[in-house]
Amino acid sequence: MTEHIDPQLKALDRLVGTWNVTGGAEGTVTYRWMEGGYFLIQDVDLRQDGMTIKGTEIIGRERAFGAQEPGEDLRSWYFDSHGSTFTYVYEVDGDTLTIWGEEKGSPAYYRGTFDAEGTKVNGAWVYPGGGGYDSDMTRVS
C-alpha cells in the first residue's frame, strides 16, 4: 500500500496477490493497490457455467462529487466482459471476509474465512431463495 492509510481498507491488504479460485467459478483473481492507496483493484479471470468472465473491481470508500469526506462503507464497483455491473460492500471482522451484494446486510453475500497462514480463504456465496455456491481461494503469489 502506498501513502493513504485507512484501517478498514488496510484490512483488505491480506488479499493483495494472485489467488486460484475453485468452486462454482474457477480461475484466478489478482488484487493490487491503486497508486495513492485509496483503492484496491481486483482483476478477475474466471470460468463459470461454461462462460469465460473477465472483469475489474475497484474497492474503496465512495466520495461523491463535492463531498469533503468519504463514506463509511468499503464499497466496490465491478464491471465484466459480459456487460455486468455490480456493487458490493466489503467487511472484514477478524479472519472473516464478508462481501455484501449492494448494501451491508443484503440477503446476497459471500462469507469466507482466512486460514491461519493467510494463504486460503474458504467460503460460499449465498443468494436469497438458494442458488449460491462454494467459492474457495488459494494464494499463488
Side-chain angles (χ1 to χ4, degrees):
M1 191 144 135
T2 56
E3 306 89 47
H4 178 70
I5 298 175
D6 172 326
Q8 193 175 352
L9 187 59
K10 188 166 174 36
L12 297 180
D13 194 47
R14 63 201 308 184
L15 290 171
V16 171
T18 299
W19 301 78
N20 280 336
V21 177
T22 58
E26 307 266 332
T28 61
V29 296
T30 300
Y31 291 88
R32 58 190 167 85
W33 287 108
M34 177 184 282
E35 187 173 334
Y38 288 94
F39 297 98
L40 185 65
I41 299 170
Q42 179 186 194
D43 299 307
V44 174
D45 187 357
L46 299 173
R47 284 204 48 82
Q48 185 174 22
D49 299 326
M51 295 186 307
T52 297
I53 302 166
K54 294 189 182 270
T56 300
E57 182 177 24
I58 300 173
I59 307 158
R61 292 191 191 277
E62 182 175 26
R63 185 166 50 190
F65 184 76
Q68 295 301 309
E69 297 295 324
E72 181 179 326
D73 291 333
L74 289 181
R75 301 194 64 72
S76 78
W77 300 265
Y78 172 83
F79 309 91
D80 74 21
S81 56
H82 295 277
S84 297
T85 60
F86 303 124
T87 59
Y88 299 99
V89 173
Y90 275 65
E91 185 175 37
V92 176
D93 183 12
D95 288 332
T96 302
L97 169 66
T98 304
I99 305 170
W100 302 100
E102 300 276 333
E103 299 293 334
K104 194 180 287 185
S106 167
Y109 62 90
Y110 170 83
R111 183 159 294 136
T113 304
F114 287 90
D115 69 358
E117 294 79 33
T119 59
K120 294 184 183 205
V121 180
N122 295 315
W125 282 97
V126 175
Y127 298 137
Y133 58 89
D134 289 340
S135 183
D136 301 322
M137 300 191 312
T138 302
R139 183 183 302 278
V140 295
S141 69

